Amino acid sequence: MEAISPTIFNVIIFVLAIYVGYHVVWNVTPALHTPLMSVTNAISAIVIVGAMLAAALTETTIGKVMGVSAVALASVNVFGGFLVTRRMLEMFRKKEPRKPGSTKQGAPK
Amino acid sequence: MSMNVVILLYLIASVCFIQALKGLSHPTTSRLGNTFGMVGMAIAVATTVALIIKLAGETVGNGLLYVVVGIAVGGTIGTILAKRVQMTKMPELVAFMHSMIGLAAVFIAVAAVAEPTALGIQLIDRQIPFGNRLELFIGTFVGAITFSGSVIAFGKLSGRYKFRLFQGAPVVFRGQQLFNLIMAIAMIGCGLWFVATQAWLPFILMAAIAFVMGVLIIIPIGGADMPVVVSMLNSYSGWAAAGIGFSLNNSMLIISGSLVGSSGAILSYIMCKAMNRSFFSVILGGFGAEEGTTVDGGEQRPVKSGSADDAAFLLSNSDSVIIVPGYGLAVARAQHAVKEMADKLIASGIEVRYAVHPVAGRMPGHMNVLLAEAEVPYEQVFEMDGINSEFGQTDVVFVLGANDVVNPAARTPGSPIHGMPILEAFKARNVIVNKRSMATGYAGLDNELFYMDKTMMVFGDAKKVVENIVKAID
């Protein structure tokens, strides 16, 4: 039997992952759609893995410059995405004693 | 560490990302979900460091230094942005972050074309295999479109720039769609030329055309459709990540990218449905000329307008109140004032609820985040389907800076927004509408609700008006 191309396996993973994503995302409550977008921003920053390989293992200038820039761009999202999501989700936490306006994070200056 | 262990660790990271999305099904589980996401990312990065140490040999310290510098710079910027951003500015931040992913994907693809072996692409006859070239082409153009499209979306959302392309009004010119089609064909042509030859020239041409395409795709879309655009770019950034995953043969990137891609696609679908517009009509654009075009000419119809004191009187003498927040609330940053008003009303035994339309604001869930920021308990916040049947039994509906989402014209056949699901504010016994002026909403339509006998208009900035109401209730 001839060998199966790795691309075919990738396609299988791709299709199944879309299927999983479809079902998981439909269960997200509409109130959390903004945190959903910011956390998906952070998750798509997974390209940092490719960027790290490029930054560390390339030898030419163009490879290095591209790699390091891509690492920096992706880390903006890794840190920014998860942290801003956490900040938002903290706001959705149930408040016990209510003091109006007591914990205004990032209140307008 | 063997390659098998690396792949298995990547699998664990992928499962963590799925958990992160799954957690968002309820506010109580969401924070744990986000932690899962962070753990997944930490596993992925740590594993990649181990992989680099394994592959690099002698020069490993040097290579990792570059990685650390990149993470330090990007991480600092990201952390500062996340801490400082105002909740009203979330749509801009999200658009900005989409552009980061798009550009990163393009850079990785360039690095991969320059030095394929460094990124683990096995060469055949010293050439990148045909399949990988095709995947690099797709990853690059999706990334480039995501980047430039998001930059334009960012400009339109912030609304602070004079630059014409950054303004909310759609940019339309004659033959636009034909021009876009020609550009798309040219881009695909260059892409296939690259796939055939692996030459730099077609690669650069293809990327350049894709950057222009990203701009062209977003400029004809009007401000009202921004929730769709933001969701769509969210989806693109995921597909770009998946495209890079295909090129690098990395299943974790493919899984994560597909999760994000399908998430963005579902959000776009929900947004389109909430506006009763087809996805294609949004993309082809030209809808929603500009905010604030007062309907002149035609008949000047009388409206009943009142002061904040009148509104306060009406509110404090009711038994039940539903607050309908809209983009005007976000612009005026009135969420804290609204919470204060609601607290006062609740303290005097009045039932207060909030009704959120799916497309209120500039991105999905925008209003919910603003209300959460003001510490409104989420039990008081209702989605459209959950509260529409309640309007009929409600004494006062207070519409704050919303317009089209409460326009009864959506029930009139022939109206441009006919069929759009709306919040049935018009069924309430009394309606108070706060707006800055009688300007029409994005759809450019007059709102029948404003002329009803039971409706009182309170003109002015949402925050000032609500603050005055709070004072008047005392």
Side-chain angles (χ1 to χ4, degrees), chain B residues 110-229:
Chain B
V110 173
V113 175
E115 283 185 67
T117 44
L119 286 132
I121 298 174
Q122 306 288 330
L123 300 189
I124 299 171
D125 299 333
R126 303 173 68 193
Q127 288 269 307
I128 301 175
F130 179 80
N132 292 72
R133 275 184 252 163
L134 184 64
E135 290 152 3
L136 280 171
F137 156 51
I138 294 171
T140 309
F141 94 74
V142 178
I145 288 176
T146 309
F147 170 71
S148 52
S150 300
V151 169
I152 298 293
F154 172 82
K156 278 178 183 269
L157 285 165
S158 76
R160 276 181 300 167
Y161 303 98
K162 286 271 190 299
F163 186 42
R164 178 64 184 92
L165 297 185
F166 282 172
Q167 286 174 7
V171 178
V172 227
F173 51 87
R174 232 150 58 103
Q176 190 164 23
Q177 283 157 26
L178 182 69
F179 183 67
N180 286 358
L181 185 68
I182 292 168
M183 292 291 275
I185 292 169
M187 183 190 74
I188 293 170
C190 288
L192 294 178
W193 178 13
F194 163 76
V195 172
T197 61
Q198 202 195 318
W200 274 109
L201 178 68
F203 183 83
I204 293 166
L205 279 176
M206 178 268 291
I209 299 174
F211 279 121
V212 178
M213 287 269 304
V215 175
L216 289 171
I217 289 174
I218 306 301
I219 52 171
I221 305 180
D225 288 334
M226 283 331 266
V228 183
V229 171

Side-chain angles (χ1 to χ4, degrees), chain B residues 2 8 15 18 35 61 95 116 125 129 160 240 245 297 303 310 336 415 450 468:
Chain B
S2 83
L8 287 176
V15 172
I18 297 173
T35 310
D125 299 333
R160 276 181 300 167
V303 296
D310 302 332
H336 297 287
S415 158
F450 302 160
N468 289 337

Side-chain angles (χ1 to χ4, degrees), chain B residues 17-88:
Chain B
F17 295 145
I18 297 173
Q19 282 296 326
L21 297 185
K22 199 158 174 275
L24 289 171
S25 56
H26 196 272
T28 49
T29 56
S30 58
R31 268 165 291 132
L32 181 64
N34 194 42
T35 310
F36 262 112
M38 292 188 201
V39 170
M41 189 58 76
I43 293 174
V45 170
T47 308
T48 310
V49 169
L51 180 64
I52 289 169
I53 292 171
K54 177 183 141 102
L55 295 176
E58 308 258 301
T59 56
V60 65
N62 207 353
L64 281 180
L65 185 68
Y66 285 107
V67 173
V68 171
V69 169
I71 292 182
V73 172
T76 312
I77 298 171
T79 308
I80 292 172
L81 284 175
K83 298 251 181 252
R84 295 229 177 124
V85 67
Q86 293 165 7
M87 285 301 126
T88 47

Side-chain angles (χ1 to χ4, degrees), chain B residues 224-249:
Chain B
D225 288 334
M226 283 331 266
V228 183
V229 171
V230 175
S231 316
M232 184 180 84
L233 290 166
N234 185 236
S235 185
Y236 286 0
S237 71
W239 303 131
I244 294 300
F246 271 99
S247 335
L248 305 185
N249 223 342

Side-chain angles (χ1 to χ4, degrees), chain A residues 6-7 10-11 13-14 17-18 20-22 24-37 39-60 62-64 66 68-73 75-95 98-100 102-106 108, chain B residues 10 17 21-22 24-25 27 30-31 34 37-38 41 44-45 48-49 52 56 63 66-67 70-71 74-75 78-79 82-83 85-87 90 94 97-98 100-101 103-104 107-108 110 115 118-119 135 230-231 234 241 246 248-256 258-260 262-263 266-267 269-270 333 336 339 343 363-366 368-369 372-373 375 378-379 383:
Chain A
T7 307
N10 287 340
V11 170
I13 293 167
F14 181 63
I18 291 174
V20 171
Y22 179 85
V24 170
V25 172
W26 270 116
N27 278 327
V28 173
T29 169
L32 295 179
H33 276 162
T34 300
L36 171 67
M37 299 201 96
V39 86
T40 49
N41 264 325
I43 291 174
S44 53
I46 191 67
V47 292
I48 195 172
V49 168
M52 285 168 71
L53 294 176
L57 302 177
T58 49
E59 279 149 14
T60 54
I62 176 161
K64 275 270 183 280
M66 290 295 148
V68 174
S69 317
V71 170
L73 293 174
S75 343
V76 171
N77 274 28
V78 169
F79 285 80
F82 283 123
L83 291 177
V84 85
T85 309
R86 191 170 69 179
R87 205 181 122 195
M88 275 190 276
L89 295 177
E90 283 299 323
M91 295 170 182
F92 281 92
R93 186 201 284 271
K94 253 195 193 124
K95 315 296 187 306
R98 279 198 243 123
K99 270 187 259 158
S102 58
T103 52
K104 279 189 202 170
Q105 281 192 45
Chain B
Y10 280 170
F17 295 145
L21 297 185
K22 199 158 174 275
L24 289 171
S25 56
S30 58
R31 268 165 291 132
N34 194 42
M38 292 188 201
M41 189 58 76
V45 170
T48 310
V49 169
I52 289 169
Y66 285 107
V67 173
I71 292 182
T79 308
K83 298 251 181 252
V85 67
Q86 293 165 7
M87 285 301 126
M90 272 312 292
V94 166
M97 295 206 290
H98 291 150
M100 295 287 106
I101 295 297
L103 197 57
F107 284 172
I108 295 166
V110 173
E115 283 185 67
L119 286 132
E135 290 152 3
V230 175
S231 316
N234 185 236
F246 271 99
L248 305 185
N249 223 342
N250 184 322
S251 47
M252 175 174 64
L253 263 64
I254 299 176
I255 295 171
S256 316
S258 320
L259 290 176
V260 178
S262 47
S263 161
I266 290 172
L267 288 176
Y269 171 79
I270 295 174
R333 299 205 201 97
H336 297 287
K339 168 70 163 59
D343 280 345
M363 71 184 293
H366 194 185
N368 301 81
V369 169
E373 187 196 15
E375 304 188 15
Y378 55 75
E379 295 87 355
E383 306 302 328

